[in-house]
């Protein structure tokens, strides 16, 4: 929802066509984050109503939220993130193509055939409410837009990262570790330990066309064990990086997530692959609703934020995992 019907009777009619306008931002900060409810504010905010009692946040606030989500969510930093407007977005996927052919002089060339499939990104609803001191809300020295953006984004980032890894696809994104998502490259011999040989086998289980952009991901407890691995010459497979870059294992970056499972029977504690093949779809801008009466006796104001998001690995063969023995 970015284009809206013009209201020729208003001085700011042109600005009301987009929730990205500076005018909408000012009225949003006054009427939703603050409590001013003049006619001009109400009329302006009407273009941002989302149908559930909330208002779409202005683009400036949306950018703050997305930035904070990316900073706090390792999957978002590595995946392909798109912004959609509809509730269902289909991604075309090239599933097969005929090979190129060697030709003799004057030999006719056969037309190549490509086969496409598709993956659907839906819109799963994620929301939460926080309570803020009413005195803090009234404090002119506090940038409430930034405060709320960071407060919500920090919690959304955790819920998203967990779902992007472990979600089952039912009313939430389908995670990388879910059944039918990343493929099993190696099955460990035991239930509680991984060997260096199994990590190397995982590396080579991934097609070489995906290895160039591939990364490892694991829980920090798993990382502690893998840091001790050595090759046949006694050299550590793990390399510590400098300057804020991720450490490397077998030459590829290693990322840590607290939502990756620890080593235990039947789980998938290590993944390796090209995570740009995991697509995240954000539908529209997030919405914000303010509640004054609900927490008035506590001297607090409630704010509820809702987002619609989905995630899916569109090429399962692009990510491989180690699965522990049962």
């Amino acid at each position: 929802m970015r284009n809206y019907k013009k209201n020729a009777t208003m001085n700011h009619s042109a600005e009301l066509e987009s929730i990205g306008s500076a005018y909408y931002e000012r009225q949003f900060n006054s009427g939703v984050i603050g409590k001013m409810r003049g006619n001009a504010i109400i009329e302006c905010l009407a273009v941002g109503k989302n149908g559930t009692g909330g208002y779409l946040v202005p683009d400036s606030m949306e950018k703050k939220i997305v930035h904070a989500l990316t900073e706090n969510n390792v999957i978002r930093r590595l995946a392909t993130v798109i912004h959609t407007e509809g509730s269902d977005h289909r991604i075309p996927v090239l599933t097969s193509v005929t090979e190129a052919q060697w030709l003799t002089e004057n030999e006719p060339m056969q037309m190549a055939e490509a086969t496409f499939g598709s993956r659907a990104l839906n819109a799963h609803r994620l929301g939460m409410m926080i309570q803020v001191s009413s005195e803090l809300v009234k404090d002119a020295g506090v940038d409430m837009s930034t405060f709320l953006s960071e407060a919500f984004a920090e919690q959304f980032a955790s819920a998203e990262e967990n779902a992007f890894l472990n979600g089952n696809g039912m009313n939430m994104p389908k995670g990388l570790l879910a059944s039918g998502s990343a493929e099993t490259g190696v099955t460990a011999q035991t239930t509680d330990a991984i060997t260096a040989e199994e990590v190397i086998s995982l590396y080579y289980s991934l097609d070489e066309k995906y290895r160039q952009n591939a990364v490892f991901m694991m829980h920090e407890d798993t990382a502690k064990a893998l840091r001790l691995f050595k090759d046949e010459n006694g050299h550590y497979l793990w390399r510590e990086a400098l300057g804020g870059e991720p450490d490397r294992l077998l030459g590829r970056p290693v990322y840590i997530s607290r939502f990756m499972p620890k080593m235990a029977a039947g789980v998938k504690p290590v993944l390796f692959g090209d995570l740009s093949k995991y697509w995240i779809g954000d539908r529209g801008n997030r919405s914000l609703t303010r509640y004054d009466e609900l927490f008035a006796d506590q001297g607090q104001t409630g704010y509820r934020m809702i987002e619609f998001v989905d995630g899916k690995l569109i090429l399962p063969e692009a990510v491989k995992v180690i699965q522990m023995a049962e």
Side-chain angles (χ1 to χ4, degrees):
M1 292 177 56
R2 292 302 178 90
N3 296 316
Y4 304 92
K5 186 182 296 183
K6 293 184 179 180
N7 185 341
T9 63
M10 294 187 61
N11 294 331
H12 299 285
S13 59
E15 292 181 289
L16 295 183
E17 294 180 3
S18 170
I19 61 173
S21 70
Y23 183 64
Y24 180 86
E25 180 183 358
R26 291 195 300 270
Q27 304 298 57
F28 181 91
N29 289 337
S30 297
V32 180
I33 295 179
K35 198 180 179 181
M36 297 174 61
R37 301 297 288 173
N39 290 335
I41 292 176
I42 294 173
E43 191 163 1
C44 175
L45 292 178
V47 303
K49 281 187 176 181
N50 71 343
T52 62
Y55 297 90
L56 299 177
V57 303
D59 285 354
S60 57
M61 186 174 182
E62 179 74 5
K63 290 177 181 177
K64 294 177 185 176
I65 295 170
V66 172
H67 176 75
L69 280 173
T70 305
E71 288 292 310
N72 291 284
N73 184 334
V74 65
I75 306 296
R76 273 189 177 266
R77 299 201 296 271
L78 301 169
T80 297
V81 182
I82 62 173
H83 194 94
T84 70
E85 296 299 335
S87 59
D88 187 8
H89 183 86
R90 303 202 71 83
I91 304 166
V93 179
L94 181 64
T95 57
S96 66
V97 62
T98 54
E99 296 182 355
Q101 60 186 104
W102 294 103
L103 303 171
T104 61
E105 188 174 357
N106 298 323
E107 180 182 354
M109 183 180 299
Q110 300 298 316
M111 182 66 68
E113 294 183 1
T115 303
F116 287 87
S118 67
R119 303 288 186 271
L121 286 179
N122 302 307
H124 300 298
R125 178 171 171 163
L126 176 65
M128 68 169 292
M129 181 181 290
I130 62 173
Q131 296 170 235
V132 181
S133 166
S134 297
E135 293 182 358
L136 182 66
V137 175
K138 297 175 183 177
D139 191 336
V142 177
D143 182 350
M144 284 300 297
S145 174
T146 298
F147 172 82
L148 291 173
S149 297
E150 294 178 349
F152 279 111
E154 182 177 351
Q155 298 304 317
F156 277 13
S158 293
E160 283 186 357
E161 186 174 320
N162 192 4
F164 294 156
L165 286 170
N166 302 299
N168 60 14
M170 300 297 292
N171 299 319
M172 65 176 63
K174 186 172 184 178
L176 287 155
L177 304 180
S179 176
S181 195
E183 298 179 349
T184 298
V186 175
T187 299
Q189 295 299 306
T190 66
T191 61
D192 58 359
I194 296 172
T195 66
E197 290 76 12
E198 289 167 345
V199 174
I200 294 172
S201 295
L202 174 67
Y203 179 92
Y204 285 105
S205 72
L206 186 70
D207 192 293
E208 60 182 353
K209 66 184 176 183
Y210 299 120
R211 283 187 224 140
Q212 182 176 357
N213 297 316
V215 302
F216 286 96
M217 186 169 292
M218 63 193 72
H219 190 278
E220 64 176 10
D221 285 4
T222 306
K224 291 176 185 177
L226 270 57
R227 290 174 72 97
L228 302 178
F229 287 169
K230 296 181 180 180
D231 61 20
E232 64 275 10
N233 298 315
H235 299 136
Y236 285 104
L237 300 179
W238 193 286
R239 295 285 187 272
E240 291 190 13
L242 301 175
E245 292 295 317
D247 290 351
R248 288 181 173 259
L249 178 61
L250 298 177
R252 302 309 307 155
V254 180
Y255 289 90
I256 304 299
S257 172
R258 68 183 185 277
F259 298 110
M260 284 291 293
K262 301 178 183 180
M263 288 182 285
V267 305
K268 305 169 182 176
V270 179
L271 67 78
F272 177 65
D274 182 356
L275 296 194
S276 71
K277 305 307 180 186
Y278 189 85
W279 282 51
I280 297 170
D282 287 325
R283 194 195 82 179
N285 283 23
R286 288 149 184 89
S287 65
L288 186 70
T289 307
R290 173 178 173 142
Y291 297 89
D292 290 299
E293 292 78 10
L294 192 59
F295 307 106
D297 60 338
Q298 304 173 37
Q300 296 184 326
T301 299
Y303 291 96
R304 183 192 68 178
M305 183 169 285
I306 291 175
E307 70 171 15
F308 291 90
V309 64
D310 195 12
K312 190 168 295 181
L313 182 61
I314 63 169
L315 290 175
E317 67 270 21
V319 181
K320 302 283 189 174
V321 298
I322 292 179
Q323 177 146 2
M324 305 303 291
E326 295 286 352

